[in-house]
Structure formats: structure tokens, C-alpha cells
């Protein structure tokens, strides 16, 4: 039996995609072999690879003067790749809105003059700090933000105003809402939240930012290496790219990012509305900054939280345990979480509240 999996990542994939991948597993499109067995230099894989890039560009509305790279190493590797490639003047400002943002900030400090321009640490990252142009230094290479904070359940609804290049870690809300890519110099995301299986990391980079890496930048972390080779400098994560490509086709078939965003807003509203009208459950995030992807919540006690997670799991609602930095529960309701999954969670929450209040 398939469960509703509320994991923050790796997370659910559309069932239609899983079934298609299963059907094609032994013999991909008459090739007589599985994509897992195929040379990354073969014609068949080349088509899978290029089609995935094209469909991703179309879904995101990536402008002509940007390049999409399919990389490895997770979003965490981008924490170092970004400064190694983009620090030309040697300075960057970071906004620290959570654990991953802080990791990115700390990593960048190894390579340049890095300043934390704003942080929401004072209230355990339950909001997004408001900034204006004057909060950033004049002569910086970029401003780094995390658009959606996976652990704390916050999101930027308005991008910060800055004259500098904007760099975003979009790992947990890419393809869930429309973004104007031209507002960014670089966007990166690990695939395992809203794109496909783990192992693939996507970078969207404006072309003028390619080719400026520091001399010490390892070849494999240099965006120019991968841009020059259409992300085939070395063996890419072939199977993850193939499954991600199927997710892109599926997303296109249901109306693209705009359509899925409406569903995402609907799912999140159902859950937040239920939490807000209840005096048993509580979400700590300031309302304007609530994420539609990751919804943390608590019951009145840590004992009840543990009981909730255990009983929900038995009812087929799994991976609801909150991150250790926040505690309680967290429901990650990415693109592939069906509306029915959220409704089932709410039904369970109602029952649990009645039984334990
Ligand atoms: C999950 C996550 C990361 C870490 O991703 P890896 O692919 O595991 O390195 C970084 N940033 C954000 C916002 C995330 O959600």
C-alpha cells in the first residue's frame, strides 16, 4: 500500500511518473536496456538529457541569456561553488533565514569578505527579515537568499531589493510557484524536494557569470566546465535526470507551474486554516511568511507530538516528525502531494485532537 509521505526530502513523486518509469525500467523506448545501464554518451540518453533541459527551461521561463546545468553534490555543494565562481571583487552579503542559509553563509566565509546583512535568528527563524537596498554593501558581487526555508517553514513572498546580483537557494520551492528568472543571477536547487530523485542538482546561471571562477576553484565546481560540456563533462546522474525529465513532462501536461501553484495554495490553505481555528495545534511562523511547501506545527506537549507522529504513521501518514531544530511536526506538501493527502492529514488531526484534548 502506498502511503502519504510528508518527508521534507527525498519526497513524493507523481504516481503517474513512477508507473511510467516502472513500465520502462527494463527496456527504455525500445533500446533493449534500462536507463540505469545506458552510456551517458549514447544517442538515446542524449535525447533524454536535452529534452529534460528544454522542458525545465520552458517550465521556469528561463531567458535566452541563461544556462541550465545538471550537476551533482546536492545544494550543499553549491554553498561553496557559488562563492568560488562568483566572488570577483571578493565580497558578498547573505541573508540568514534558517539552517541552510546559515550553512551557505558559513561556507562562503572561507573564500571572501562575507557579511550577514540580515537574519531572523532572534525569533528562531519564524519570519523573513525586511531589507532595503541600503542594507547591502555597495561593492559586492552578490546577495544570497534562501527563497523557502525547509526546516522553519518560511518563504520570501517578495524578493529583496538590491542592485547586486541576486543568488537564490531554491531547493524546496522551485517549480511550486512562478519566479521571474531574470531577477536572479543564479538559482540552485537539489532535486529531491520538488523535482525528482536525489543525486541531481540544478543550477540556472546568467551567462555573464560563467567563466569568472577563482583560480583555486576545483574543475568540477567550476560552472564553465559544465557549461562548455552541456553538463556532460563527466558521468551525470543519468537515472535522476531521466526521472526528473518525466516529472517535467508530467508538470507540463497538467498546466505547468502556474497550475500547480494554484493547487499548492489550496492545499496549504486547507492545512493552515485548520491549524489556525484549532486551539490544540499551533504553527509558530508569522502569517505573511508562511511557506506553502513546509508546514511545521506542534500540539500542546512534546509527549503528544511524539504520539501524534507514531499514530499518524500507523494511519499511513508518514515522515511527519519535525526537524530536530524545531521539534513537533512538519508536513512537507510539495507539488506531488495530492490534495487527498492533505485532506487525510486534516481528518487525522481532527480525530487526534478529539481523543487527546
Ligand atoms: C534540503 C536543502 C538543502 C540541502 O540539500 P542537499 O541536496 O541535501 O545538499 C539546502 N538548502 C535547502 C533550502 C534545502 O531545503
Amino acid at each position: 500500500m502506498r502511503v502519504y509521505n510528508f518527508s521534507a526530502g527525498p519526497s513524493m513523486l507523481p504516481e503517474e511518473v513512477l508507473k511510467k518509469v516502472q513500465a520502462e525500467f527494463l527496456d527504455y523506448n525500445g533500446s533493449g536496456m534500462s536507463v540505469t545501464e545506458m552510456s551517458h554518451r549514447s544517442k538515446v540518453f542524449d535525447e533524454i538529457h536535452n529534452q529534460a533541459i528544454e522542458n525545465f527551461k520552458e517550465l521556469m521561463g528561463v531567458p535566452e541569456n541563461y544556462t541550465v546545468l545538471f550537476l551533482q553534490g546536492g545544494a550543499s555543494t553549491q554553498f561553496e561553488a557559488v562563492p568560488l565562481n562568483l566572488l570577483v571583487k571578493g565580497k558578498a552579503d547573505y541573508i540568514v533565514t534558517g539552517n541552510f542559509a546559515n550553512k551557505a553563509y558559513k561556507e562562503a566565509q572561507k573564500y571572501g569578505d562575507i557579511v550577514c546583512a540580515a537574519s531572523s535568528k532572534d525569533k528562531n527563524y519564524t519570519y523573513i527579515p525586511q531589507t532595503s537596498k541600503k542594507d547591502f554593501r555597495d561593492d559586492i558581487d552578490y546577495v544570497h537568499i534562501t527563497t523557502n526555508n525547509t526546516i522553519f517553514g518560511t518563504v520570501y513572498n517578495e524578493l529583496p531589493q538590491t542592485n547586486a546580483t541576486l543568488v537564490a537557494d531554491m531547493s524546496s520551492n522551485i517549480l511550486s510557484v512562478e519566479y521571474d528568472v531574470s531577477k536572479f543571477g543564479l538559482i540552485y536547487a537539489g532535486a529531491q524536494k520538488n523535482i525528482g530523485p536525489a543525486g541531481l542538482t540544478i543550477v540556472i546561471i546568467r551567462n555573464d557569470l560563467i567563466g569568472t571562477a577563482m583560480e583555486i576553484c576545483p574543475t568540477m565546481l567550476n560552472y564553465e566546465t559544465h557549461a562548455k560540456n552541456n553538463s556532460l563533462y563527466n558521468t551525470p546522474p543519468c537515472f535522476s535526470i531521466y526521472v526528473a525529465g518525466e516529472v517535467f513532462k508530467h508538470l507540463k501536461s497538467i498546466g505547468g507551474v502556474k497550475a500547480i501553484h494554484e493547487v499548492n495554495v489550496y492545499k496549504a490553505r486547507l492545512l493552515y486554516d485548520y491549524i489556525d481555528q484549532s486551539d490544540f495545534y499551533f504553527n509558530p511562523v508569522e502569517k505573511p511568511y508562511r511557506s506553502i511547501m513546509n508546514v511545521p506545527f506542534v500540539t500542546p506537549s512534546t509527549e503528544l507530538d511524539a504520539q501524534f507522529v507514531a499514530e499518524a504513521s500507523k494511519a499511513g501518514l508518514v515522515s511527519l516528525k519535525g526537524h530536530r531544530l524545531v521539534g513537533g511536526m512538519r508536513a512537507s506538501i510539495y507539488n506531488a502531494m495530492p490534495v487527498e493527502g492533505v485532506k487525510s492529514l486534516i481528518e487525522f488531526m481532527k480525530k487526534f485532537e478529539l481523543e487527546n484534548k
Side-chain angles (χ1 to χ4, degrees):
M1 185 195 81
R2 281 187 57 80
V3 294
Y4 290 119
N5 173 13
F6 293 89
S7 168
S11 42
M12 291 184 85
L13 290 171
E15 200 163 305
E16 296 90 326
V17 169
L18 294 175
K19 284 186 174 147
K20 179 148 187 275
V21 168
Q22 183 184 40
E24 293 175 341
F25 193 69
L26 292 182
D27 177 5
Y28 176 79
N29 204 15
S31 66
M33 62 176 93
S34 170
V35 179
T36 54
E37 303 170 299
M38 210 173 264
S39 164
H40 61 292
R41 308 274 175 214
S42 66
K43 215 176 145 215
V44 186
F45 183 75
D46 213 44
E47 205 174 299
I48 293 172
H49 183 80
N50 289 331
Q51 202 175 57
I53 292 175
E54 283 317 307
N55 283 334
F56 176 73
K57 280 184 174 171
E58 193 181 320
L59 285 165
M60 290 286 295
V62 176
E64 282 296 313
N65 59 326
Y66 283 71
T67 299
V68 169
L69 304 174
F70 282 178
L71 308 176
Q72 300 188 67
S76 302
T77 298
Q78 296 308 311
F79 297 167
E80 60 225 17
V82 165
L84 280 163
N85 282 272
L86 301 194
L87 287 176
V88 174
K89 289 174 256 181
K91 293 181 179 181
D93 288 357
Y94 278 63
I95 304 184
V96 178
T97 50
N99 191 48
F100 291 118
N102 193 46
K103 282 185 173 172
Y105 166 58
K106 286 279 183 312
E107 194 64 29
Q109 283 174 340
K110 295 179 184 171
Y111 306 106
D113 171 5
I114 308 297
V115 161
C116 170
S119 163
S120 50
K121 190 165 191 271
D122 59 338
K123 292 186 187 163
N124 199 31
Y125 303 117
T126 50
Y127 69 104
I128 298 291
Q130 295 305 294
T131 53
S132 65
K133 284 183 182 173
K134 64 172 173 33
D135 292 309
F136 305 111
R137 293 176 293 171
D138 286 331
D139 50 349
I140 52 173
D141 291 303
Y142 63 90
V143 170
H144 181 283
I145 63 165
T146 309
T147 49
N148 184 82
N149 297 279
T150 325
I151 295 174
F152 298 92
T154 62
V155 69
Y156 269 93
N157 288 316
E158 258 175 70
L159 296 174
Q161 292 293 318
T162 169
N163 294 328
T165 297
L166 193 59
V167 172
D169 176 355
M170 217 177 259
S171 294
S172 53
N173 75 335
I174 192 161
L175 297 177
S176 73
V177 54
E178 289 182 299
Y179 275 107
D180 178 355
V181 173
S182 73
K183 294 232 157 56
F184 302 87
L186 188 148
I187 293 168
Y188 63 92
Q192 70 274 20
K193 280 143 193 170
N194 228 356
I195 292 175
L200 170 66
T201 308
I202 300 187
V203 168
I204 310 171
I205 183 170
R206 207 175 60 221
N207 291 341
D208 62 286
L209 299 173
I210 299 171
T212 59
M214 294 179 192
E215 259 178 57
I216 60 154
C217 180
T219 305
M220 276 296 289
L221 294 187
N222 192 329
Y223 296 130
E224 191 175 22
T225 305
H226 302 286
K228 274 188 173 161
N229 293 283
N230 189 30
S231 301
L232 291 165
Y233 171 75
N234 71 325
T235 317
C238 302
F239 194 71
S240 297
I241 290 171
Y242 154 64
V243 180
E246 292 302 323
V247 172
F248 301 151
K249 286 184 206 164
H250 176 258
L251 188 50
K252 272 177 65 173
S253 77
I254 59 170
V257 176
K258 194 176 173 155
I260 200 77
H261 179 242
E262 281 171 25
V263 180
N264 288 332
V265 167
Y266 175 67
K267 288 187 300 190
R269 186 169 300 147
L270 287 178
L271 189 49
Y272 284 118
D273 281 354
Y274 180 68
I275 292 171
D276 287 345
Q277 62 74 44
S278 154
D279 54 10
F280 185 80
Y281 299 104
F282 175 71
N283 166 280
V285 175
E286 291 181 23
K287 282 187 183 164
Y289 311 112
R290 283 174 162 181
S291 167
I292 60 168
M293 295 280 99
N294 311 97
V295 183
F297 59 95
V298 291
T299 68
S301 75
T302 51
E303 291 73 25
L304 280 172
D305 288 347
Q307 190 186 330
F308 182 101
V309 172
E311 288 183 15
S313 185
K314 279 189 201 136
L317 307 165
V318 310
S319 301
L320 279 161
K321 193 174 182 327
H323 192 277
R324 64 193 151 74
L325 294 173
V326 177
M329 278 69 69
R330 170 179 48 173
S332 294
I333 50 175
Y334 299 118
N335 286 359
M337 172 60 67
V339 172
E340 272 315 308
V342 174
K343 286 186 175 165
S344 299
L345 172 61
I346 294 168
E347 283 312 308
F348 177 84
M349 289 169 79
K350 279 183 191 163
K351 183 169 152 283
F352 189 84
E353 178 172 351
L354 275 174
E355 289 169 358
N356 293 286
K357 214 160 154 172

